[in-house]
Amino acid sequence: MDFSRRMYQSTSLRVGSPRRALFVGCSASSSTGTPRDGTGWALGPNPCRPSSFQSPRRLHNLLIGPSSSIPPSQGSTPRTGFCERTYPSPYGSQKNSVRPSAKSQLLDEALIAGSEGWGRVASSNGSRLKEGSLVAIGRPGLGTLRSSLWAEESSFLQLPEKIWEISGPAGSTLTQLGGTALRMLSDFVVLQPGDVVVQNAGNSGVGLMVSQIATELFGVSVVSLVRRGSKNQEEFNDLVIHLEEFGKAALVVAEEDLKDKQAWKKFKSDIKELSGSGHDLPKLALNTVGGESVKQLIRSVAKHGTVVTYGGMSGEPVVVGTPQLIFKDVQLRGYWQSRWMVQQSHDKKQEMVDTLVKLVLDGAVTCPPVNVFPIHAVQEALHWVTTDRGGIRKKLIWDCADQRRAD
């Protein structure tokens, strides 16, 4: 089966209610469906909720559970809930740590897991999106690990066809990863050309987008901290080259190396040299790790600097020393992309997507590398997620296409 050929086929997105609802074909990062005879996916009347996702093993159990009794669609109008062909979207294991009660604070309704993905309009009675339009998910909690869904027109953000031609499946990460990066660079401090931003997990999807967007859109240098871990020197050097050339990071440093006092002094000196003045420390730091890693970020920012936390990969809390709060007046902030997407108007979200798309079309930003798995290969995909130790990370993309219709 030719994956690239299948991905270019039209996916299902139809209107079926007077509320300008769309039936959208998309892929996603979490499960709302169960396999039907090993050939497709059927959604039951009570889709799984995010509370079920505590680990990749639990996710796998949900994905391969008993089949729904919903039959395949007949004729030109598919039955609501039956999976049609889809476009790709990301899965991130760290999302399993998001409490369902927290997501329920954003959407006052029963949630279906999965918030990211691409789709194509099959038919519409709306005024904005027409048949064949390429769209991104613009509303969290729609439940995108299925090949089709009903939703109002305002739940989708229009994309130009060119973005698919350039980015392929990797482009499905643009709204979430690129959006998170853009918002953190825009909404907390006013960055000027010559400023420096420091971040941990610089080799993560968001980290790669941060370093590219900061460099190209803001004229800002980015210092990326990464974990050396079990990598040998050659592997670590390859990672550094990748982050500097692909990610456009100005400086890449192993966190473990900064435990040495002399290495720490050199690190702070190197940061200052990157600034426009040659002596300023960063006024913005981005944290998605926590624990000892965020302590290094807090120590590296300037007086009145801001440290934004958007994740907690280590599972350890954000701890700040009293001197940093009293004498440096360090500001600790938090960012949650799902909250921003719920609170903002459709026009504001579309503006953000348009900005990101333009960066990609201009060749200024490239979506992080991905690894695509068909939805029926759940065991293989989650094994890859839990065992891959490569320094150059890739995002897992589900292809939720109905295999009977895609071949």
Side-chain angles (χ1 to χ4, degrees):
M1 180 168 52
D2 184 351
F3 174 80
S4 62
R5 175 181 61 80
R6 186 171 74 254
M7 296 307 295
Y8 275 93
Q9 293 178 347
S10 175
T11 62
S12 294
L13 194 162
R14 294 181 183 274
V15 175
S17 83
R19 300 175 61 194
R20 290 185 177 178
L22 300 176
F23 192 46
V24 112
C26 60
S27 309
S29 56
S30 311
S31 169
T32 60
T34 53
R36 180 179 177 83
D37 300 328
T39 55
W41 291 83
L43 306 181
N46 297 305
C48 303
R49 293 177 181 154
S51 58
S52 300
F53 300 99
Q54 303 301 323
S55 68
R57 179 180 178 84
R58 179 59 175 161
L59 174 60
H60 173 244
N61 291 340
L62 288 170
L63 287 170
I64 63 172
S67 174
S68 164
S69 60
I70 298 177
S73 58
Q74 302 293 330
S76 59
T77 304
R79 290 175 180 264
T80 302
F82 183 76
C83 294
E84 300 295 319
R85 295 189 300 273
T86 68
Y87 275 68
S89 77
Y91 165 79
S93 57
Q94 71 225 40
K95 294 177 186 175
N96 298 326
S97 64
V98 177
R99 295 179 295 110
S101 59
K103 286 199 172 184
S104 297
Q105 295 171 12
L106 299 181
L107 297 173
D108 186 19
E109 59 187 61
L111 294 180
I112 299 172
S115 293
E116 306 168 53
W118 278 8
R120 191 177 295 282
V121 178
S123 61
S124 170
N125 62 6
S127 59
R128 181 175 55 86
L129 296 176
K130 305 302 180 183
E131 181 176 343
S133 296
L134 182 65
V135 295
I137 302 300
R139 178 186 172 207
L142 282 182
T144 51
L145 194 62
R146 48 175 165 172
S147 57
S148 56
L149 66 128
W150 290 95
E152 295 178 355
E153 187 179 48
S154 60
S155 299
F156 304 100
L157 304 169
Q158 193 158 16
L159 297 168
E161 197 68 33
K162 192 70 174 177
I163 190 70
W164 170 256
E165 297 174 9
I166 291 176
S167 299
S172 62
T173 66
L174 186 61
T175 304
Q176 184 71 15
L177 302 184
T180 300
L182 180 58
R183 296 269 57 86
M184 292 193 298
L185 292 169
S186 304
D187 296 351
F188 294 94
V189 303
V190 178
L191 293 172
Q192 302 291 342
D195 285 342
V196 177
V197 172
V198 60
Q199 65 171 343
N200 54 25
N203 57 332
S204 66
V206 172
L208 284 168
M209 297 302 280
V210 164
S211 54
Q212 293 182 85
I213 293 172
T215 301
E216 297 295 338
L217 191 60
F218 295 90
V220 169
S221 298
V222 174
V223 175
S224 292
L225 301 184
V226 297
R227 287 174 290 183
R228 185 186 298 273
S230 60
K231 304 177 189 67
N232 59 39
Q233 191 59 47
E234 182 180 355
E235 291 172 334
F236 184 75
N237 290 341
D238 290 341
L239 174 60
V240 171
I241 293 172
H242 174 71
L243 297 181
E244 291 178 344
E245 294 183 355
F246 179 90
K248 303 182 181 180
L251 178 65
V252 180
V253 178
E255 291 183 2
E256 296 91 334
D257 296 348
L258 298 182
K259 296 178 180 179
D260 179 78
K261 289 185 178 180
Q262 293 302 318
W264 176 256
K265 289 181 179 180
K266 183 178 185 305
F267 173 66
K268 292 190 72 172
S269 176
D270 290 342
I271 292 178
K272 291 179 180 180
E273 289 180 5
L274 288 173
S275 69
S277 64
H279 56 75
D280 288 335
L281 288 172
K283 54 185 176 183
L284 178 65
L286 306 177
N287 164 56
T288 188
V289 178
E292 290 298 320
S293 179
V294 72
K295 289 181 181 180
Q296 295 175 332
L297 296 184
I298 293 171
R299 291 174 62 196
S300 66
V301 296
K303 288 184 178 180
H304 316 296
T306 299
V307 179
V308 179
T309 293
Y310 65 100
M313 292 182 179
S314 69
E316 299 175 359
V318 175
V319 179
V320 58
T322 302
Q324 277 78 30
L325 290 176
I326 296 178
F327 303 115
K328 290 184 66 176
D329 188 28
V330 171
Q331 308 293 309
L332 301 181
R333 302 290 302 276
Y335 180 74
W336 187 13
Q337 176 74 357
S338 294
R339 177 175 57 209
W340 188 92
M341 293 290 284
V342 167
Q343 293 176 342
Q344 301 302 314
S345 68
H346 182 273
D347 288 345
K348 185 71 174 178
K349 290 184 284 189
Q350 186 67 58
E351 178 185 352
M352 179 192 73
V353 169
D354 291 344
T355 298
L356 294 170
V357 166
K358 185 177 187 303
L359 288 170
V360 173
L361 296 184
D362 290 345
V365 168
T366 303
C367 294
V370 300
N371 199 358
V372 182
F373 287 87
I375 196 62
H376 60 77
V378 176
Q379 289 180 314
E380 294 86 344
L382 296 182
H383 176 75
W384 174 77
V385 167
T386 56
T387 60
D388 179 61
R389 295 293 182 268
I392 300 174
R393 296 183 181 180
K394 293 183 178 181
K395 190 76 172 178
L396 167 58
I397 301 293
W398 295 113
D399 168 22
C400 299
D402 184 340
Q403 303 304 311
R404 291 167 297 180
R405 298 168 182 268
D407 291 336

